[in-house]
Amino acid sequence: MEVAESLIQQLKNASRIVFFTGAGISAESGISTFRGKDGLWQKLKPEELANFDAFLNNPKIVQEWYQHRRDIIHSTNPNPGHFAIAEFEKIFDEVTVVTQNVDNLHKRAGSSNILELHGNIERNYCIECGNEFIGAEFDYKTVNGKCKCGGLIRPDVVWFGEMLPYEIFSEAEKKAAESDICFVVGTSAVVYPAANIPLRALHNGSVLVEVNIESTDISSLVHHSLLGRSGEILPIILEMLGS
Ligand code: BV8
Ligand code: ZN
């Protein structure tokens, strides 16, 4: 995979960078993507799992699915792609990570400006009294999925049909609009309104750089399409910037 000299020049002249990331950046940490060949939803349908009604109808199945994902996240680590993004903060005036992921890996890799559009699986709360259950070690099974008040405990993630956190989404739009360069990393760019973020950057004159192992809905719009694994490509870009 070739990184164009023109991109390196654009990066050298840039000061504000946005990384818009999806499940693909965590694939090399061993966390399944949603729509890839081994996508989580290939086996389990989203309508049965990632929406509030399904949760009310099948709390146990949904809680077990999220517990399964938390257990995987708990036993894995950020990969070179996450670490490279954290390193960018040492080179550029402003780096903002706008992620659709709920796996907390950007934070664990050391990124400091993270906007979680779809929440975080390590935060859970009671749907009746709002009591919070925070931390990777939280396990639904130990409390039988219920709060002391008897309410069901859900993950603090945005399900289909639910609104994204307003302040976080507006801040992400602002950062995208102000960015010089917007990387679109490991996302199929099919989930809205999150997928509007790179489009906002594009319409405000940012250089769009896609990093993905295949082409996506947004590939025809980007200025640089880097085909390959984010865990390989992002460290190469970092190296080329350093040299
Ligand atoms: C809302 C949190 C409205 C939970 C998630 C019809 C048309 C358009 C839109 C809609 C529609 N019908 C419904 C909608 C709206 C819906 C939507 O967009 N649906 C889509 C599927 C059509 N959106 C919503 O419902 C949103 N809310 O609209 O509210 C509203 C309005 C008013 C009042 C009330 C409500 C909420 C959407 C949020 C859903 N929650 N996740 C959880 O994680 O369990 S979405 C889920 O998909 C994840 O967040 C995930 O991040 C996100 C996007 O998926 P990707 O991250 O892109 O992952 P994917 O597997 O798809 O792709 C991985 C990519 O990585 C691939 O391209 C692959 O090639 C690449 N890759 C793999 N390995 C690597 C790699 N790249 C680089 N390196 C590698 N190694
Ligand atoms: Zn409660």
Side-chain angles (χ1 to χ4, degrees):
M1 178 283 318
E2 268 302 295
V3 179
E5 202 35 55
S6 59
L7 169 58
I8 300 302
Q9 275 320 312
Q10 286 162 333
L11 280 163
K12 287 188 171 169
N13 299 329
S15 52
R16 289 183 301 242
I17 314 283
V18 161
F19 286 93
F20 178 71
T21 66
I25 194 165
S26 298
E28 289 160 80
S29 296
I31 299 175
S32 317
T33 60
F34 288 84
R35 297 168 187 85
K37 59 180 179 353
D38 60 349
L40 281 175
W41 287 343
Q42 249 45 38
K43 303 178 195 89
L44 306 160
K45 295 194 206 68
E47 53 277 8
E48 289 164 7
L49 292 163
N51 76 59
F52 189 57
D53 296 338
F55 173 67
L56 290 182
N57 296 333
N58 303 296
K60 204 161 165 9
I61 297 179
V62 175
Q63 287 172 334
E64 279 171 8
W65 182 45
Y66 281 93
Q67 189 56 46
H68 167 69
R69 291 168 65 188
R70 203 186 354 270
D71 293 343
I72 293 173
I73 290 166
H74 207 188
S75 63
T76 184
N77 293 304
N79 65 59
H82 296 105
F83 288 118
I85 289 177
E87 280 298 303
F88 266 74
E89 289 183 12
K90 296 178 184 156
I91 305 175
F92 292 93
D93 295 347
E94 191 182 290
V95 175
T96 307
V97 177
V98 178
T99 188
Q100 302 168 92
N101 298 341
V102 297
D103 59 28
N104 212 35
L105 290 183
H106 282 300
K107 184 151 176 268
R108 287 174 54 194
S111 285
S112 40
N113 304 319
I114 304 168
L115 298 170
E116 293 176 322
L117 298 182
H118 293 158
N120 186 318
I121 205 169
E122 295 185 357
R123 289 194 309 266
N124 298 271
Y125 64 90
C126 166
I127 61 171
E128 298 302 334
C129 72
N131 192 15
E132 291 189 340
F133 302 83
I134 307 277
E137 63 294 334
F138 169 70
D139 186 330
Y140 288 117
K141 291 192 286 298
T142 53
V143 289
N144 197 19
K146 287 209 172 135
C147 168
K148 283 197 289 299
C149 80
L152 287 169
I153 300 172
R154 66 162 283 176
D156 185 11
V157 299
V158 178
W159 278 332
F160 284 104
E162 293 184 331
M163 294 285 277
L164 276 61
Y166 178 74
E167 300 72 31
I168 292 177
F169 188 68
S170 327
E171 178 69 5
E173 283 190 307
K174 183 170 163 290
K175 292 295 179 190
E178 292 166 355
S179 66
D180 298 310
I181 297 183
C182 178
F183 284 85
V184 184
V185 186
T187 182
S188 55
V190 296
V191 174
Y192 284 85
N196 281 322
I197 293 300
L199 302 180
R200 187 60 179 266
L202 182 69
H203 297 148
N204 284 277
S206 302
V207 172
L208 245 58
V209 186
E210 182 172 38
V211 178
N212 202 311
I213 53 172
E214 61 188 15
S215 59
T216 68
D217 282 10
I218 201 166
S219 299
S220 56
L221 301 173
V222 302
H223 299 93
H224 301 278
S225 184
L226 307 178
L227 276 185
R229 296 176 183 288
S230 46
E232 288 158 20
I233 291 179
L234 292 173
I236 290 173
I237 295 175
L238 210 52
E239 220 177 281
M240 292 177 78
L241 281 172
S243 57

